[in-house]
Amino acid sequence: MQVKRLAAILFLVLSAFASAAADAGQAVVGIVAPLSGPANRLGQQILAGAAKAIDKAGAEALTLDDQCSAEGGAIAAEQLIAANVRIAIGFLCTDAIEAALPILSAASIPVVTPGVRTDSLTDRRSRTGWLVYRSAPRADAERAAISNILTRRWSDKLFAIVDDGTIYGRELAESFRLAAEQAGLKPVFTDTYRPQFDNQIGLAGRLKGAGATHVFAGGNRDDIAILARDAGVIGYPLTIAGGEALRAAKGEVDLAPGTLMIGLPEAGDVATSAFLQSFEADGIAAEGYVLSGYSAAEIALQALKLNAETEQALSAILSNTVFATEAGTLRFDARGDRSDNPYRLFRYDGETFNEVR
């Protein structure tokens, strides 16, 4: 009885919220994120960015905590429906969004997620009919970018491919190897190294013996930094590239200047300084998912505006519109994924990563 009473009270509160917003002529955007538990910090980043965009537009937001769980996602979906919210943004956790989507899609409420990368979320669209639009990259986008960028840039290089034996490292390395093979390229050396060693002299020696001048290493920042250091110890000039794991904090040994990274741009790489300063003025650090949350809210607000002007369904608008955001333009493909691959090539200068154009 107590649960039913609380549910009834919640329904009345949310209905009153929706009615008040409608009376004020305000669009309501639902923001759903993990605002408690271990993922709270990341959820708060989404909330900070999205809330700033919505406030700037003079719209109204309904913020809900999905607790990074299936139960929390389903409850949040029901709350959005009770409040007559017409579009939602957010979600970081696969369990939460997969529990919410069947409920929201049945109510014709689309979701723009800046955080969930799981490939199957959109791969199953033709079967599930879920109205999900992913402004975040897919999980396989990093592998695709590494393959595309390095096969193009290293077509005339003597390159090697190594990995640390982890699922992450091996998938990156194998994806690049297959792409190189399809492009008619063959590495001069492949190997799996033992990670978390205090030296990689043996690996550096094997690479030198194979004549490799460039190497892609599927592994973490510390191991790649140590490999570069030890290659220098034996007087072996080597260009090393890695994935976005290189954005991790510096260890005892730093990356060598000239190390390449295929990774996602940070806020300062895509947004204007004036825009970023507006966050500082509000006491918000524009880091992590803050800009992603802001962009997702921009997309939702533009979709609502077009819906009011044209009476097209929100799902049709999201599927067929090029959206202009502070982080650049974005459109969604037939599956609901962003149509571009946002991963780019960066070079380390000893302090920061700078984009290689």
Side-chain angles (χ1 to χ4, degrees):
M1 290 296 294
Q2 186 69 18
V3 172
K4 290 183 178 179
R5 178 179 296 177
L6 288 173
I9 292 172
L10 179 60
F11 179 84
L12 290 173
V13 169
L14 293 175
S15 296
F17 167 85
S19 178
D23 290 343
Q26 293 174 313
V28 180
V29 178
I31 306 174
V32 185
L35 303 177
S36 60
N40 169 58
R41 179 171 174 271
L42 302 180
Q44 292 292 344
Q45 290 173 351
I46 286 181
L47 175 58
K52 181 175 174 65
I54 292 168
D55 182 64
K56 179 181 177 182
E60 190 75 23
L62 173 62
T63 301
L64 298 171
D65 179 10
D66 66 19
Q67 301 175 11
C68 200
S69 69
E71 182 182 10
I75 291 172
E78 297 289 359
Q79 291 172 340
L80 290 170
I81 293 170
N84 293 323
V85 169
R86 300 187 56 232
I87 190 167
I89 64 171
F91 292 101
L92 277 172
C93 307
T94 301
D95 287 348
I97 196 170
E98 288 188 340
L101 280 171
I103 300 168
L104 294 174
S105 297
S108 299
I109 300 174
V111 176
V112 179
T113 177
V116 181
R117 298 193 185 185
T118 309
D119 292 338
S120 61
L121 184 70
T122 51
D123 286 346
R124 294 176 291 169
R125 185 179 189 127
S126 61
R127 187 170 74 253
T128 63
W130 289 347
L131 301 179
V132 59
Y133 298 84
R134 187 187 350 233
S135 57
R138 292 167 54 89
D140 59 10
E142 181 183 12
R143 300 194 295 273
I146 288 168
S147 298
N148 292 338
I149 291 170
L150 295 186
T151 52
R152 186 174 67 250
R153 298 183 70 93
W154 289 3
S155 61
D156 59 347
K157 309 297 183 187
L158 297 172
F159 66 91
I161 303 174
V162 301
D163 69 82
D164 63 3
T166 64
I167 293 175
Y168 170 75
R170 184 158 291 176
E171 284 185 343
L172 294 185
E174 183 64 9
S175 177
F176 176 35
R177 186 192 67 77
L178 289 172
E181 183 179 289
Q182 291 171 1
L185 306 175
K186 185 176 181 180
V188 297
F189 178 80
T190 60
D191 197 8
T192 297
Y193 62 87
R194 190 167 177 181
Q196 299 179 349
F197 260 32
D198 58 5
N199 79 78
Q200 293 289 350
I201 285 285
L203 176 59
R206 294 194 297 276
L207 287 165
K208 183 178 182 180
T213 58
H214 294 65
V215 59
F216 173 77
N220 65 38
R221 178 172 177 140
D222 288 344
D223 290 330
I224 291 174
I226 289 170
L227 172 60
R229 179 201 64 187
D230 292 350
V233 167
I234 62 175
Y236 170 39
L238 184 63
T239 298
I240 305 177
E244 65 180 326
L246 297 189
R247 277 216 192 271
K250 294 180 182 180
E252 292 184 10
V253 179
D254 194 14
L255 293 170
T259 298
L260 300 173
M261 176 192 71
I262 294 87
L264 293 172
E266 294 188 313
D269 299 317
V270 295
T272 65
S273 58
F275 173 67
L276 297 178
Q277 286 168 7
S278 73
F279 282 93
E280 294 178 13
D282 292 339
I284 301 171
E287 61 185 10
Y289 286 96
V290 170
L291 187 57
S292 299
Y294 190 99
S295 296
E298 288 183 291
I299 291 168
L301 290 165
Q302 288 175 45
L304 286 170
K305 183 174 183 292
L306 285 170
N307 170 259
E309 294 171 350
T310 67
E311 297 186 356
Q312 289 185 72
L314 285 169
S315 57
I317 291 169
L318 288 165
S319 297
N320 299 300
T321 304
V322 178
F323 295 95
T325 76
E326 290 287 351
T329 58
L330 184 151
R331 72 174 302 159
F332 300 105
D333 64 19
R335 289 183 303 197
D337 288 316
R338 59 183 298 157
S339 60
D340 68 320
N341 189 329
Y343 281 88
R344 303 178 184 176
L345 180 65
F346 297 85
R347 180 178 287 112
Y348 192 62
D349 65 6
E351 291 293 332
T352 60
F353 287 99
N354 303 293
E355 186 175 355
V356 180
R357 298 185 184 275

